[in-house]
Amino acid sequence: QDNRISIWSVGDAGSAGLGGEYQGEPQLVCDIRHDGDVMDMQFLDQERIVVASSTGSVTVFRHHQNNQTLSANHRWEKAHYHVDQDTPCGGAACTGVICNNPEIVTVGEDGRINLFRADQKDAVRTIDNADSSTLHAVTFLRTTEILTVNSIGQLKIWDFRQQRNEPSQIFSLTGDRVPLHCVDRHPNQQHIVATGGQDGMLSIWDIRQGTMPVSLLNAHEAEMWEVHFHPSNPDHLFTCSEDGSLWHWDTSADISEKPSFLHQGGRSTTYFSHNSINQSVVSAWLSNDPTKDRMEITNLVPNQTLSVNTLDILGPCLVYGTDAEAIYVNRQLFA
């Protein structure tokens, strides 16, 4: 009933113990009330955080570092709504937000896409009936192009330079119409995209070719809530799920150089070595079956039973939140 946005300080890596676990408790720096459930949030810049609410509003909060307080800087009331913006209870949940300062894109249960600018009162652009189903997540492909995923298994590319309110491309998981919950774009190769959804599968897409995923990888036992490429080391990918697991997918390893026990279980023994293909990760994420050639998967929360709802990565640091109402920080990603 009472929701808050909180800023925490987790200290610096220098205070990590021998096993990499953080010495000392994370400190609550400041917090502020938030109307509705927090559906998504993202930093816009060093001081501002954009927050998506289940009430349909989108708020920009400012973190004042001089006196460690949070304040609501700007709010777009009912950016998402079902019936009409003026009805008191007509709000539709804003399910996803993505920032590319000063631009902010939001998507929602109402199938609407909004493009806001941080300093402008009104939306720069709204695509009202972008989708007939719920839009669950959005990411930037380029500065003028975004990619959305929806509840009937489709990816759509939208180009804001075009005036018409139609997607420039549509991709879909064949026939199954499995709801997609999350999407992330490869940080260096903008044509490589990863998605996850209700069936727990990880799909890798090459948006330059075909309308189907390049590879479908068996992953979680239940819904996949979040997928993220490591921002500076995209051979590494992270996914988390309702089944309580958080997987680290590592395609950087060349299995042919590893001990032979990895070869058991009918793995193919044709290896691509890095020097034969110089493009950073092309052979890994885009090979027909990445798992055959080299893929190490580690569950980073082995005995967890409650849903892992969200995750983010910065350098060697992974942070994730679970239904245990706890925030975890793992500083030993590449140990």
Side-chain angles (χ1 to χ4, degrees):
Q1 297 298 308
D2 180 28
N3 296 310
R4 307 188 82 78
I5 306 288
S6 309
I7 302 251
W8 296 79
S9 161
V10 291
D12 53 40
S15 55
L18 290 171
E21 71 284 358
Y22 174 63
Q23 301 294 320
E25 292 286 306
Q27 297 296 317
L28 177 63
V29 178
C30 52
D31 65 0
I32 191 169
R33 274 205 69 238
H34 179 268
D35 290 333
D37 295 342
V38 175
M39 305 295 286
D40 197 7
M41 59 180 170
Q42 213 189 26
F43 277 98
L44 177 69
D45 54 28
Q46 291 288 326
E47 292 195 328
R48 290 178 295 176
I49 307 136
V50 183
V51 182
S53 169
S54 60
T55 64
S57 65
V58 177
T59 311
V60 183
F61 289 96
R62 187 180 286 276
H63 174 214
H64 306 274
Q65 285 156 356
N66 52 358
N67 62 357
Q68 293 300 356
T69 55
L70 275 165
S71 67
N73 186 231
H74 186 80
R75 180 174 290 125
W76 292 283
E77 294 285 356
K78 297 226 182 106
H80 295 274
Y81 54 93
H82 282 307
V83 200
D84 114 51
Q85 238 165 339
D86 305 323
T87 330
C89 57
C94 176
T95 50
V97 56
I98 192 88
C99 304
N100 185 10
N101 194 3
E103 249 123 38
I104 299 163
V105 175
T106 70
V107 296
E109 279 182 2
D110 53 358
R112 202 173 257 105
I113 299 172
N114 291 306
L115 171 62
F116 296 112
R117 273 206 190 91
D119 40 14
Q120 291 184 17
K121 189 168 165 289
D122 296 321
V124 178
R125 176 95 184 262
T126 295
I127 303 177
D128 271 330
N129 300 312
D131 216 297
S132 53
S133 64
T134 296
L135 288 169
H136 281 143
V138 59
T139 190
F140 273 101
L141 284 180
R142 295 180 185 78
T143 47
T144 56
E145 273 186 318
I146 57 161
L147 182 73
T148 57
V149 294
N150 69 13
S151 60
I152 54 170
Q154 294 172 322
L155 282 75
K156 297 183 182 180
I157 298 179
W158 305 84
D159 187 341
F160 284 129
R161 290 166 304 188
Q162 295 180 358
Q163 285 313 301
R164 56 197 188 93
N165 293 339
E166 302 290 327
S168 50
Q169 268 177 291
I170 300 178
F171 304 84
S172 64
L173 292 164
T174 48
D176 299 344
R177 305 240 165 214
V178 175
L180 291 172
H181 292 305
C182 53
V183 58
D184 196 30
R185 187 204 83 196
H186 190 288
N188 315 335
Q189 299 182 322
Q190 294 168 330
H191 54 278
I192 301 177
V193 170
T195 63
Q198 191 170 310
D199 57 0
M201 296 277 279
L202 171 64
S203 311
I204 305 291
W205 310 69
D206 181 346
I207 58 174
R208 297 169 307 181
Q209 51 183 356
T211 55
M212 312 241 308
V214 183
S215 52
L216 282 168
L217 302 166
N218 271 314
H220 301 280
E221 307 281 310
E223 290 91 343
M224 186 191 294
W225 292 130
E226 194 97 72
V227 57
H228 269 297
F229 285 101
H230 189 288
S232 53
N233 198 343
D235 287 2
H236 299 266
L237 178 93
F238 299 85
T239 58
C240 64
S241 166
E242 179 71 29
D243 67 10
S245 60
L246 192 164
W247 285 14
H248 173 187
W249 306 70
D250 176 4
T251 62
S252 65
D254 191 343
I255 287 180
S256 56
E257 292 165 12
K258 296 216 171 159
S260 58
F261 63 82
L262 284 170
H263 297 282
Q264 290 158 6
R267 278 178 181 270
S268 134
T269 44
T270 52
Y271 300 105
F272 302 108
S273 66
H274 261 300
N275 47 16
S276 66
I277 299 177
N278 268 330
Q279 291 160 285
S280 61
V281 69
V282 70
S283 56
W285 293 120
L286 294 185
S287 68
N288 290 339
D289 182 0
T291 45
K292 278 206 175 76
D293 302 306
R294 46 165 205 277
M295 175 88 78
E296 273 195 290
I297 301 166
T298 318
N299 182 6
L300 299 180
V301 281
N303 306 314
Q304 169 64 340
T305 51
L306 295 169
S307 174
V308 182
N309 300 320
T310 185
L311 69 98
D312 207 356
I313 319 118
L314 185 67
C317 236
L318 169 78
V319 58
Y320 56 97
T322 76
D323 269 359
E325 297 191 12
I327 302 164
Y328 298 86
V329 181
N330 174 339
R331 302 174 176 282
Q332 292 290 88
L333 273 190
F334 300 116

